[in-house]
Amino acid sequence: MDYIFHIAIIVSIYGILALAQNLVMGETGLLTIAGAAFYGIGAYVAGIFSTSLGLNITIALVAAPLITAVIAMILGTSFARFRDDYFLLATLGFLMIFNTVAKNWTSLTGGSLGIAGISKPHMFGITLLTPESFIWLAVFVLLIVAIICYFISRSSFGRALNAIREDEEALKIFGYKVSTYKLASFTIGASLSSLAGVLFASYLTFIDPTLFTVNESILLWAMIILGGIATNRGALMGALLLILIPESLRFIGFPDEISGLMRQCIYGLILIFLMLYRPKGIFGKYNL
Amino acid sequence: MKQVIETKGLIKFFDGIHAVDNLSLSIEEGKITGIVGPNGSGKTTLINILSGFYNYDKGEIFFSGAKRKKILPWENKIYGTGRTFQQIRLFNQMKVIDNILVVLTERNPFFALFERHGEYHIKCAEDVLKKVGLYEKRGSYAKDLSYGQQKLLEIGRILAIKADIIFLDEPFAGLFPEMIKRIENIIRELKNENKTVILVEHNMNIIRELCDHLIVMDAGKLLAEGRPEKVLSERAVLEAYLGE
């Protein structure tokens, strides 16, 4: 039973990440590969708060989105002028910087050894030690993020983001400060991603830089493309499928070391097949 | 008559080439002003400058007498200007009604976050779509409209924002006669509402029928201007543009 709760927690964490990625990439059309960096920032905030400062993880759940928002706003202010592949390269650059800092600022991040002994969340007098108890927090945060994303996609703000995705130059003509919208979307997406990082760090109780590489960002791309670009339910479906499919390899006799490698191959193959045969994904109505 | 736009010695370079060369002109309020000229004469560049798509290099631009050192695209709403594009630029993967709603709703990102379009916005959008004959298509995606319908939707967006100064860049190009009539009628209605229309067009019959004032450009310069029938009979215009 613990295994099922474990999978549900991982699906919830990736569901949050996929929803955030969908907001920035699906709704706004900003090709970002920095998702893993903001996820990592959230995780490191949780790790540092817990181990260095001795603070409760629930404080990190509030602090991480704020800290990440400040970083994203500083970045986004210069990134907002970029589009398409230029934006992609700029965010890739940021992810590389994040990884370098995480590996080398040893006194803060623990360097390549990472941070171990991160505490489990303690709330209402209960410490969420088991997957069975942790799942409630994970689902609660996922629900909050899903509500925020749904609210945004139904608002005038969300419609403007869609118009930016379609033709930001044309939208400017109608009185929109497009760069402000892009900055807002990027910042909100980054903040939401950091929540997943806090949950992840607190659940595993250990983090290191290898957990937040470009592979994670590609996985997020695969999730929202599989589920369907610019749909929240598509992002959730993509997260569910791309966690469950590789997990299912365990049950068809693949050794653990091979199933780990196969995971990346599966993500790659799914992306290739989707681009060839179903670029809109399962629920999608839009093309990238 | 009030002049809504005035340029003095306007210059725009592209890699050393003068796309707009020392252009001084004025556009009167409530009139339909046509701009004609051979391909590459600077017509669209002029519209791009006046709508904030391009910065200009030298000269002066006045909107209703106020000098504008720099024209920023998002300021078009403040100055009451709107435009269509030579190559149609719709929000293709959005529904027809959403293409209109997006220009009707809140611009401030913070307030937009808490705004959902209401009955009022829907009614405004539907009124516009009825006016341009696209009401039945309101639930379709913009990319699925025919070429002519897409041109109408572009004009619909301009009607929705109730712009006072409207730049139309070749709105009749590639349209069949019925669609041309419909757009002509919309332009006449705009004139009746005292809107200022600046029309870039190659079809001389439409120019003669619709325009109160005509500007002819050649190689970025002003070649001639005045009443269409008079300008189109000038020798220099005939030679430069009509090749006669």
Side-chain angles (χ1 to χ4, degrees):
Chain A
M1 199 63 183
D2 268 2
Y3 176 71
I4 291 171
F5 284 122
H6 165 74
I7 295 299
I9 290 165
I10 299 298
V11 168
S12 300
I13 289 170
Y14 278 95
I16 293 166
L17 287 169
L19 284 168
Q21 182 78 12
N22 180 58
L23 175 67
V24 183
M25 194 169 125
E27 302 284 357
T28 322
L30 297 173
L31 298 181
T32 174
I33 207 146
F38 296 122
Y39 174 42
I41 289 169
Y44 274 99
V45 167
I48 293 162
F49 270 44
S50 168
T51 58
S52 301
L53 304 177
L55 296 171
N56 191 326
I57 284 297
T58 45
I59 297 172
L61 273 173
V62 178
L66 297 176
I67 292 168
T68 313
V70 172
I71 295 168
M73 278 183 86
I74 294 167
L75 275 181
T77 304
S78 42
F79 287 6
R81 76 186 70 165
F82 299 132
R83 266 183 292 174
D84 306 327
D85 39 0
Y86 289 94
F87 193 88
L88 180 72
L89 288 171
T91 55
L92 177 62
F94 173 64
L95 178 58
M96 289 163 73
I97 291 168
F98 167 76
N99 277 310
T100 307
V101 170
K103 270 183 201 155
N104 294 291
W105 194 352
T106 316
S107 59
L108 185 72
T109 64
S112 299
L113 296 174
I115 302 175
I118 301 166
S119 60
K120 293 278 187 182
H122 182 84
M123 44 183 39
F124 309 115
I126 305 164
T127 304
L128 308 179
L129 287 171
T130 61
E132 195 177 345
S133 55
F134 197 95
I135 183 69
W136 296 107
L137 177 65
V139 169
F140 176 73
V141 177
L142 172 64
L143 200 62
I144 298 285
V145 171
I147 289 168
I148 290 170
C149 290
Y150 176 79
F151 180 78
I152 289 173
S153 62
R154 302 285 291 176
S155 68
S156 298
F157 180 84
R159 190 187 294 105
L161 295 185
N162 294 165
I164 289 170
R165 179 193 64 211
E166 296 302 310
D167 189 339
E168 67 176 77
E169 292 299 321
L171 188 67
K172 280 182 189 168
I173 290 297
F174 295 98
Y176 280 90
K177 284 186 181 173
V178 165
S179 55
T180 314
Y181 274 81
K182 284 162 71 175
L183 178 62
S185 169
F186 187 65
T187 304
I188 295 169
S191 290
L192 299 180
S193 297
S194 73
L195 288 170
V198 175
L199 289 176
F200 183 72
S202 174
Y203 179 61
L204 279 194
T205 70
F206 168 76
I207 52 169
D208 72 31
T210 62
L211 296 168
F212 311 105
T213 62
V214 71
N215 283 346
E216 287 301 295
S217 292
I218 291 169
L219 171 60
L220 299 181
W221 276 51
M223 283 174 176
I224 65 164
I225 293 171
L226 172 64
I229 291 282
T231 61
N232 291 321
R233 62 181 178 150
L236 292 172
M237 178 58 81
L240 181 71
L241 290 177
L242 284 186
I243 297 299
L244 290 186
I245 292 170
E247 283 298 326
S248 66
L249 292 178
R250 290 176 196 271
F251 301 102
I252 55 174
F254 275 91
D256 274 357
E257 60 273 23
I258 293 179
S259 68
L261 295 172
M262 285 296 288
R263 188 186 297 251
Q264 294 302 327
C265 293
I266 288 172
Y267 298 152
L269 279 173
I270 286 174
L271 272 179
I272 292 168
F273 275 102
L274 282 170
M275 289 299 104
L276 285 172
Y277 301 110
R278 180 70 190 175
K280 292 177 180 176
I282 296 170
F283 293 121
K285 295 170 187 161
Y286 307 99
N287 287 321
L288 264 179
Chain B
M1 186 63 78
K2 185 182 165 189
Q3 290 178 349
V4 288
I5 296 175
E6 194 179 2
T7 71
K8 289 181 182 171
L10 191 66
I11 292 175
K12 174 70 186 171
F13 300 106
F14 285 118
D15 297 326
I17 296 166
H18 283 78
V20 174
D21 190 3
N22 199 23
L23 188 68
S24 298
L25 54 81
S26 57
I27 289 165
E28 287 184 10
E29 185 183 36
K31 295 275 175 69
I32 301 172
T33 300
I35 303 178
V36 299
N39 290 332
S41 60
K43 309 179 295 292
T44 297
T45 303
L46 176 64
I47 287 186
N48 282 339
I49 292 169
L50 294 175
S51 60
F53 250 56
Y54 295 158
N55 294 323
Y56 58 96
D57 295 311
K58 285 182 186 169
E60 293 174 313
I61 298 176
F62 300 87
F63 271 62
S64 300
K67 187 174 174 179
R68 293 181 72 183
K69 282 185 182 170
K70 193 168 186 180
I71 300 174
L72 298 168
W74 58 266
E75 289 178 337
N76 283 323
K77 188 165 187 286
I78 301 166
Y79 285 88
T81 51
R83 68 167 291 182
T84 65
F85 297 88
Q86 196 175 348
Q87 304 290 332
I88 300 169
R89 297 182 78 156
L90 294 171
F91 308 121
N92 280 321
Q93 297 188 85
M94 290 169 66
K95 289 183 176 171
V96 166
I97 194 154
D98 284 326
N99 268 264
I100 302 292
L101 282 171
V102 78
V103 303
L104 285 172
T105 47
E106 180 61 50
R107 304 298 198 267
N108 180 300
F110 182 76
F111 296 124
L113 203 49
F114 298 98
E115 182 193 61
R116 285 182 70 170
H117 65 261
E119 296 271 318
Y120 168 75
H121 293 125
I122 292 280
K123 190 182 176 308
C124 289
E126 286 180 348
D127 286 347
V128 165
L129 291 176
K130 281 174 190 165
K131 204 172 216 174
V132 296
L134 290 176
Y135 180 73
E136 301 301 323
K137 295 280 183 184
R138 64 191 181 285
S140 305
Y141 285 97
K143 66 182 165 64
D144 296 330
L145 298 179
S146 70
Y147 181 74
Q149 288 169 332
Q150 289 185 342
K151 288 232 166 192
L152 286 170
L153 183 54
E154 261 207 325
I155 292 171
R157 290 195 307 201
I158 302 295
L159 300 181
I161 60 171
K162 296 184 166 54
D164 293 319
I165 305 167
I166 298 157
F167 301 102
L168 301 175
D169 198 352
E170 300 191 25
F172 302 101
L175 297 185
F176 63 94
E178 190 192 319
M179 209 65 97
I180 288 174
K181 283 280 167 227
R182 191 180 283 179
I183 293 177
E184 279 182 341
N185 288 337
I186 291 169
I187 293 173
R188 285 196 184 94
E189 277 180 39
L190 289 169
K191 187 190 171 187
N192 292 338
E193 294 166 15
N194 202 37
K195 309 276 189 190
T196 306
V197 179
I198 297 100
L199 178 66
V200 171
E201 186 51 49
H202 286 293
N203 186 323
M204 288 306 133
N205 290 330
I206 292 173
I207 289 288
R208 282 191 186 93
E209 269 182 44
L210 279 179
C211 293
D212 304 301
H213 188 80
L214 183 62
I215 290 165
V216 184
M217 290 178 69
D218 187 26
K221 291 185 168 70
L222 179 69
L223 187 64
E225 68 171 326
R227 301 280 311 167
E229 59 272 26
K230 179 178 167 290
V231 170
L232 290 173
S233 63
E234 284 183 24
R235 186 167 187 80
V237 174
L238 293 172
E239 282 175 0
Y241 185 43
L242 301 175
E244 291 173 12

